[in-house]
């Protein structure tokens, strides 16, 4: 009789606890609703914040607003004193002066900035002289090696911008179809770093025939938003760096066609021959250079600035030493030429999404077993600088179990035709990410059409990269590109609220599970 009574009590307790736990989740899910998401995102992406460009007053005000939300919902400051992590930065403005002198033992020809070249990534004044080598488009793979990385160290690389045009069905066409454009750009970047070159002279084959570069080229005056390009924002006129990372990448000089014609005899024909051979993955027709050496002279124009990550946390009850980080950048492209880049989707949506998850965690009234850090990163648009600074300085990175990222989670491709599509990118070995999201999307009837994309090494794309490089499993929701990407037209009126809400709810349920394993 006593055993039967005890068993009955245990069953009742278990059933009661199960109901209570579900009630806690239901309370939390109710806080994730269109009314709150729309109110907060409308304010964050309003003109008051002036495009939230890192280091500007607008970005500082945005950080204050996000921190106030965390405080309102009762989360603890990251370091128990404040919700901000100061991130020191260097801004490299257009150099005060830059020149390239080509030499071949017989003659020397000097070209200067503002007419034939623009120097990028210049954080320190320098004078460098080295041998010139041809590097094509800088593609390096098992079947195509445009750069001889064994013979490139301490040399100056001549490189073509972008990716080559292909002939349909060619070997080059098949190779380039194995990755998307963003992934090939990452290949180019990785190859450049492994090549060990000291500088790059980069020419854009899509440039005008004149090929003359001016410092004002990215500043496009326009009568309407639709005529602006993705590079119209003035952030492309300056580079930002973390102080201890300024020497890690080679200086890039964007050069005119006039310089290329001087470097390579019969330049147009030589480039045509190279492209034709490249279709068969051959580099035998690499152009012959008229000048073997170049001397680079640049006087930097550097300004020290600071910006802020916004960080809040909930300390774990049973496993406080195990950490989950949930993050999204809040910076965008600022205001230039009479336009404001409000960045409602990129990435106001992600920043408010993180806040909504934090609020839902608190609304359960239950302390999770693991510690959860909620982060809004600065300067993602400038090279993931905020998240990289956190990873470089956080003393407990070895304790971080998972990283969940948001970057653009509020749009449908056609904002006038809302859909339910979203991509979940995740570390391939972390199948649990897909399993949990699939489970909660179905069981809670959230209606998302999730494209699951497993990456072997997700070290590119967004603020997931610094964490993935540390070997931390990541997952990242992303609704894809659209016509307003990096345009002033990225307004809150174009947000797909039903999709936005469903993504945040799916994420919360998944993260709640992970925080309480």
């Amino acid at each position: 009789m006593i055993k039967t009574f005890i068993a009955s009590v245990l069953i009742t307790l278990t059933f009661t606890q199960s109901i209570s736990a579900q009630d806690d989740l239901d309370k939390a899910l109710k806080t994730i609703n269109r009314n709150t998401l729309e109110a907060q995102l409308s304010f964050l992406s309003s003109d008051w914040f002036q495009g939230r460009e890192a280091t500007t007053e607008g970005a500082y005000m945005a950080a204050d607003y996000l921190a106030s939300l965390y405080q309102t919902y009762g989360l603890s400051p990251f370091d128990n004193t404040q919700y901000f992590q100061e991130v020191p930065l260097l801004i490299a403005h257009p150099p005060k002066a830059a020149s390239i002198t080509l030499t071949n033992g017989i003659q020397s020809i000097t070209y200067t900035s503002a007419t034939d070249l623009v120097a990028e990534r210049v954080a320190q004044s320098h004078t460098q002289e080295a041998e010139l080598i041809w590097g094509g488009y800088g593609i390096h793979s098992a079947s195509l090696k445009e750069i001889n990385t064994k013979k490139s160290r301490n040399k100056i690389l001549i490189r073509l911008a972008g990716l080559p045009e292909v002939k349909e069905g060619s070997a080059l066409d098949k190779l380039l179809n194995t990755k998307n454009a963003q992934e090939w750009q990452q290949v180019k970047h990785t190859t450049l770093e492994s090549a060990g070159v000291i500088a790059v002279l980069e020419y854009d084959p899509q440039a005008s025939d004149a090929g003359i570069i001016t410092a004002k080229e990215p500043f496009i005056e326009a009568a309407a938003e639709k005529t602006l390009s993705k590079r119209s924002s003035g952030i492309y006129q300056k580079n930002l760096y973390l102080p201890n990372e300024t020497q890690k990448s080679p200086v890039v000089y964007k050069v005119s066609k006039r310089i290329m014609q001087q470097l390579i005899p019969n330049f147009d024909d030589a480039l045509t021959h190279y492209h034709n051979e490249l279709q068969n993955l051959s580099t035998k027709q690499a152009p012959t250079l008229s000048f073997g050496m170049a001397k680079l002279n640049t006087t930097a124009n550097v300004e020290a600035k600071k910006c802020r990550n916004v960080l809040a946390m909930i300390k774990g009850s049973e496993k406080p030493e195990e950490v989950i980080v949930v993050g999204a950048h809040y910076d965008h492209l600022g205001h230039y030429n009479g336009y404001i880049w409000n960045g409602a989707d990129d990435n106001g949506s992600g920043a408010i999404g993180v806040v909504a998850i934090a609020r839902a965690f608190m609304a359960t009234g239950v302390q999770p077993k693991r510690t959860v850090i909620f982060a809004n990163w600065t300067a993602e648009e400038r090279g993931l600088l905020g998240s990289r600074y956190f990873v470089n300085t956080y003393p407990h990175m070895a304790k971080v179990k998972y990283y969940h990222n948001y970057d653009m989670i509020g749009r449908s491709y056609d904002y006038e035709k809302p859909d339910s599509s979203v991509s979940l990118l995740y570390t391939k070995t972390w199948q649990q990410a897909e399993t949990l999201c699939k489970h909660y999307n179905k069981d809670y009837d959230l209606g998302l059409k999730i494209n699951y994309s497993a990456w072997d090494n997700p070290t590119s794309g967004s603020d997931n990269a610094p964490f993935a490089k540390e070997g931390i499993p990541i997952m990242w929701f992303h609704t894809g590109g659209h016509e307003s990407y990096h345009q002033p037209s990225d307004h809150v009126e174009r947000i797909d609220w039903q999709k936005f809400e469903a993504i945040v709810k799916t994420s919360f349920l998944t993260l709640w599970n992970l925080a309480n394993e």
Side-chain angles (χ1 to χ4, degrees):
M1 180 67 72
I2 294 176
K3 289 183 178 179
T4 302
F5 175 74
I6 293 173
S8 177
V9 170
L10 289 174
I11 291 171
T12 302
L13 284 172
T14 301
F15 180 69
T16 301
Q17 289 171 346
S18 177
I19 293 176
S20 177
Q22 187 58 52
D23 286 345
D24 294 337
L25 288 180
D26 289 343
K27 283 190 298 184
L29 287 170
K30 287 179 181 178
T31 69
I32 303 170
N33 56 75
R34 172 174 176 169
N35 187 55
T36 302
L37 295 172
E38 186 171 1
Q40 293 177 350
L41 181 54
S42 294
F43 186 49
L44 184 64
S45 59
S46 69
D47 288 354
W48 291 109
F49 297 101
Q50 303 173 342
R52 307 189 305 276
E53 182 184 346
T55 76
T56 67
E57 182 182 67
Y60 266 80
M61 291 192 297
D64 285 340
Y65 173 59
L66 293 167
S68 73
L69 294 176
Y70 290 124
Q71 185 174 10
T72 298
Y73 299 141
L75 283 87
S76 300
F78 169 65
D79 63 355
N80 294 317
T81 60
Q82 61 176 350
Y83 293 94
F84 306 114
Q85 179 188 40
E86 283 201 344
V87 180
L89 294 176
L90 297 178
I91 300 179
H93 296 282
K96 295 178 180 178
S99 66
I100 297 174
T101 300
L102 306 178
T103 60
N104 61 7
I106 299 174
Q107 62 176 327
S108 294
I109 303 176
T110 298
Y111 297 90
T112 59
S113 57
T115 54
D116 283 290
L117 62 100
V118 171
E120 297 186 345
R121 301 186 64 83
V122 181
Q124 290 183 331
S125 300
H126 62 265
T127 298
Q128 302 178 99
E129 187 170 11
E131 180 184 347
L132 290 162
I133 59 169
W134 172 258
Y137 286 87
I139 297 173
H140 195 82
S141 68
S143 55
L144 177 60
K145 294 179 172 60
E146 290 191 281
I147 300 175
N148 186 336
T149 54
K150 294 180 180 179
K151 297 182 179 181
S152 58
R153 189 159 298 277
N154 296 322
K155 296 179 181 178
I156 297 173
L157 181 73
I158 302 169
R159 190 178 71 174
L160 301 172
L163 295 172
E165 293 185 4
V166 298
K167 294 179 180 178
E168 188 175 352
S170 68
L172 180 62
D173 184 22
K174 294 175 182 177
L175 172 63
L176 293 185
N177 279 329
T178 61
K179 302 180 189 295
N180 61 39
Q182 184 181 36
E183 290 170 328
W184 278 118
Q185 289 303 320
Q186 182 63 31
V187 168
K188 291 182 63 167
H189 176 74
T190 303
T191 302
L192 184 62
E193 292 199 337
S194 65
V197 299
I198 62 171
V200 178
L201 307 187
E202 185 171 79
Y203 172 71
D204 184 357
Q206 303 301 318
S208 64
D209 287 339
I212 303 302
I213 299 174
T214 70
K216 294 183 178 180
E217 183 178 4
F219 293 99
I220 298 175
E221 296 291 345
E225 288 178 355
K226 65 182 181 180
T227 63
L228 294 170
S229 79
K230 290 180 181 179
R231 293 185 64 86
S232 296
S233 166
I235 72 164
Y236 295 102
Q237 280 296 291
K238 57 195 175 192
N239 292 291
L240 271 63
Y241 306 87
L242 295 172
N244 62 341
E245 294 187 352
T246 57
Q247 299 301 315
K248 288 193 174 182
S249 298
V251 177
V252 176
Y253 292 80
K254 303 288 188 180
V255 299
S256 68
K257 187 172 184 179
R258 188 158 59 189
I259 289 181
M260 297 300 291
Q261 290 171 325
Q262 192 69 58
L263 275 169
I264 300 170
N266 302 312
F267 172 66
D268 289 332
D269 290 340
L271 199 57
T272 297
H273 289 314
Y274 183 75
H275 275 130
N276 289 338
E277 287 292 312
L278 207 57
Q279 304 304 316
N280 299 316
L281 305 183
S282 171
T283 58
K284 293 180 180 179
Q285 288 293 325
T288 301
L289 303 180
S290 297
F291 293 81
M293 300 288 292
K295 185 176 182 179
L296 313 176
N297 245 313
T298 304
T299 303
N301 181 13
V302 178
E303 177 185 11
K305 282 273 193 176
K306 289 183 179 179
C307 50
R308 301 185 295 183
N309 288 328
V310 185
L311 302 169
M313 66 179 293
I314 303 172
K315 189 173 182 180
S317 59
E318 297 180 18
K319 304 175 182 178
E321 73 286 351
E322 296 185 8
V323 179
I324 296 173
V325 181
V326 186
H329 76 91
Y330 70 93
D331 68 297
H332 197 52
L333 306 187
H335 61 104
Y336 293 89
N337 297 324
Y339 295 100
I340 298 177
W341 277 255
N342 287 315
D345 186 37
D346 185 15
N347 187 32
S349 63
I352 294 302
V354 171
V355 170
I357 293 172
R359 182 188 184 191
F361 263 77
M362 296 301 294
T364 65
V366 179
Q367 190 176 2
K369 294 178 181 179
R370 286 183 168 135
T371 295
V372 185
I373 295 173
F374 299 92
N376 296 118
W377 310 117
T378 186
E380 186 271 353
E381 300 286 3
R382 312 318 306 271
L384 320 179
L385 300 182
S387 55
R388 282 165 54 197
Y389 184 78
F390 176 86
V391 169
N392 291 344
T393 58
Y394 182 49
H396 307 299
M397 282 305 299
K399 298 179 180 179
V400 177
K401 298 283 290 183
Y402 311 114
Y403 175 69
H404 182 77
N405 192 61
Y406 277 159
D407 197 347
M408 300 171 63
I409 59 168
R411 276 289 304 264
S412 292
Y413 181 76
D414 183 345
Y415 69 92
E416 294 181 332
K417 298 176 181 179
D419 58 48
S420 302
S421 300
V422 62
S423 293
L424 179 73
L425 304 100
Y426 66 94
T427 305
K428 191 173 185 179
T429 55
W430 191 30
Q431 189 63 36
Q432 187 183 20
E434 177 177 334
T435 301
L436 288 173
C437 289
K438 188 177 292 184
H439 164 71
Y440 289 120
N441 181 47
K442 179 181 178 182
D443 281 18
Y444 282 79
D445 195 26
L446 295 172
L448 292 173
K449 297 175 183 177
I450 304 177
N451 172 40
Y452 296 97
S453 180
W455 290 11
D456 288 320
N457 188 27
T459 55
S460 63
S462 183
D463 291 301
N464 54 280
F467 291 87
K469 288 179 180 178
E470 295 294 317
I472 295 166
I474 69 97
M475 58 178 170
W476 168 26
F477 270 121
H478 178 51
T479 52
H482 47 75
E483 87 295 336
S484 296
Y485 173 67
H486 280 199
Q487 297 278 7
S489 58
D490 185 2
H491 296 311
V492 73
E493 291 81 10
R494 300 185 178 189
I495 295 295
D496 182 342
W497 298 107
Q498 183 175 350
K499 180 192 290 189
F500 185 14
E501 180 180 323
I503 290 170
V504 177
K505 285 182 174 178
T506 301
S507 300
F508 162 68
L509 291 165
T510 299
L511 290 163
W512 184 255
N513 182 300
L514 294 171
N516 289 284
E517 286 177 316

